[in-house]
Amino acid sequence: MPTSSPITRWSRRHTLLAGAALLSGSARAADAAWPGGPVVIHTPYGAGGTSHNLSGVVAAQMSISLGNEVSVQARPDQTLTSMAQAVATAPPDGRTALLVSNVFVRAAVASPSVGYEPFNDFRPVGLIARSELALVTHPRAGVRSLSQMLGAARQQHRTLRAASFGKDSTSDGALAQLRQLADVDMPVTHFQGQAPAVEALLAGEQDLVFINLPELQPLLRQHRVVPLAIAARSRSTRLPQVPTLTELGYPIVFAPWYGLVVPAKTPDAVVEAFNRELNAAIGASVVNHVLLAAGVRPEPGTPARLREAMQDEVTLFRVQSRALAARNSAPARKS
């Protein structure tokens, strides 16, 4: 099984500390109007992935500082759409939140009938962190570059097997774009979380998977995967030798960000209190250290900053969609 990341190990230890803090209570929590009861952060992504691990770290730290239960409810059996709809219609008391990423916005822009509207049905609480997404294969594939892998697949008329860590996940969106731009036969298998998707790759059952950098680094140290490209605007400082997908001719920018939203009618005072506690948790020295060590950049800030990130995602998605449409409509080049 893949080695656990620093985020995962920290979250397990501090969940126990959070429980102890709840037993002792806190005058600060007792005096505050918010939270006034258990807070649940919902995510459709299973254990082992960056989304779940990030929310677990933050929830544990908030539980300790508030003396109030803050937990993560992971439901990989549910889609992002069904979970977003459930959170949007929950009581607007700041005790029901949704962990969101790029895909939360992209899915709604790509399909207006998806069942929720990210800007009207929710209020942003704040960003948590940003990460990077790398495309990898397994050493047994016998290739050292994406060009080699795609070239061999075309010449041999071979199907490439790709794994995502959940329908509507960040990896699912990136793979969909790569499949269209590369014009290869590449069916995607959706796993319930990043860990089983990576395990399938390591077992040779899949050929390609996008992995968040925190989970990638232990695998690289063990030489268990081969990095092919980064889905970012520029090369990663942690993997400077790995080209971006744009450099390789595939303009795919899919740098994951993560944040929290609550139902649209949540009062200003509650959002402000939630944001303040969220930023305090992200800024805690131990949390900050663990996130940075794992390759995730902490990003505390205002609710407006998360809204800006969401709007930037809309713009980026539309630019990429136009580029894809132009590429697909261009006359085929003669061989």
Side-chain angles (χ1 to χ4, degrees):
M1 293 181 63
T3 304
S4 62
S5 72
I7 298 178
T8 306
R9 296 192 295 272
W10 187 94
S11 182
R12 289 170 183 164
R13 291 196 302 270
H14 283 68
T15 296
L16 299 176
L17 293 178
L22 293 177
L23 292 176
S24 64
S26 167
R28 177 185 178 187
D31 293 340
W34 180 87
V39 176
V40 180
I41 299 172
H42 294 266
T43 172
Y45 308 124
T50 301
S51 299
H52 183 272
N53 292 339
L54 277 176
S55 54
V57 168
V58 170
Q61 182 63 36
M62 289 181 69
S63 293
I64 294 170
S65 62
L66 283 169
N68 182 90
E69 182 182 2
V70 181
S71 63
V72 177
Q73 185 174 93
R75 292 292 303 274
D77 58 316
Q78 289 192 11
T79 64
L80 171 61
T81 296
S82 62
M83 189 162 285
Q85 291 172 336
V87 172
T89 56
D93 54 12
R95 289 166 53 185
T96 303
L98 178 67
L99 181 75
V100 297
S101 68
N102 317 57
V103 175
F104 171 70
V105 177
R106 286 177 174 247
V109 178
S111 177
S113 61
V114 71
Y116 66 87
E117 209 294 318
F119 294 94
N120 295 330
D121 294 341
F122 301 90
R123 291 194 65 175
V125 174
L127 282 165
I128 297 174
R130 293 181 185 269
S131 183
E132 293 174 307
L133 204 62
L135 180 66
V136 304
T137 188
H138 52 82
R140 290 190 298 277
V143 299
R144 306 301 299 178
S145 70
L146 181 59
S147 298
Q148 286 181 336
M149 173 160 274
L150 296 178
R154 294 189 187 103
Q155 291 176 4
Q156 300 167 15
H157 303 287
R158 184 167 63 88
T159 296
L160 291 177
R161 302 162 299 173
S164 85
F165 38 89
K167 184 171 176 55
D168 298 328
S169 68
T170 309
S171 64
D172 188 25
L175 285 168
Q177 284 194 288
L178 179 62
R179 182 174 61 242
Q180 290 178 305
L181 290 171
D183 192 25
V184 293
D185 186 12
M186 192 175 71
V188 177
T189 300
H190 304 298
F191 290 83
Q192 292 189 347
Q194 184 169 251
V198 173
E199 288 171 6
L201 177 83
L202 298 178
E205 299 168 2
Q206 300 292 324
D207 299 310
L208 291 167
V209 65
F210 275 100
I211 304 180
N212 283 299
L213 207 58
E215 283 69 44
L216 173 61
Q217 291 179 319
L219 298 172
L220 287 176
R221 287 194 293 269
Q222 298 166 8
H223 306 289
R224 301 181 71 188
V225 297
V226 178
L228 301 175
I230 298 288
R233 290 184 176 87
S234 59
R235 294 196 180 197
S236 170
T237 56
R238 291 179 175 269
L239 297 172
Q241 76 282 9
V242 180
T244 67
L245 283 163
T246 300
E247 287 179 66
L248 300 177
Y250 307 104
I252 301 172
V253 177
F254 226 110
W257 50 257
Y258 306 92
L260 294 180
V261 298
V262 290
K265 294 184 179 180
T266 305
D268 290 348
V270 171
V271 172
E272 291 169 4
F274 201 153
N275 173 261
R276 183 170 58 250
E277 295 298 334
L278 175 64
N279 286 337
I282 299 168
S285 59
V286 63
V287 175
N288 207 270
H289 174 76
V290 170
L291 296 183
L292 289 171
V296 178
R297 187 174 80 242
E299 189 141 340
T302 64
R305 182 66 192 91
L306 174 54
R307 180 174 290 276
E308 181 182 336
M310 292 167 61
Q311 188 58 59
D312 288 346
E313 202 65 39
V314 172
T315 302
L316 178 60
F317 179 80
R318 288 175 175 164
V319 169
Q320 291 175 332
S321 296
R322 286 195 294 269
L324 178 60
R327 180 168 180 153
N328 289 341
S329 63
R333 290 181 296 179
K334 295 182 180 180
S335 56

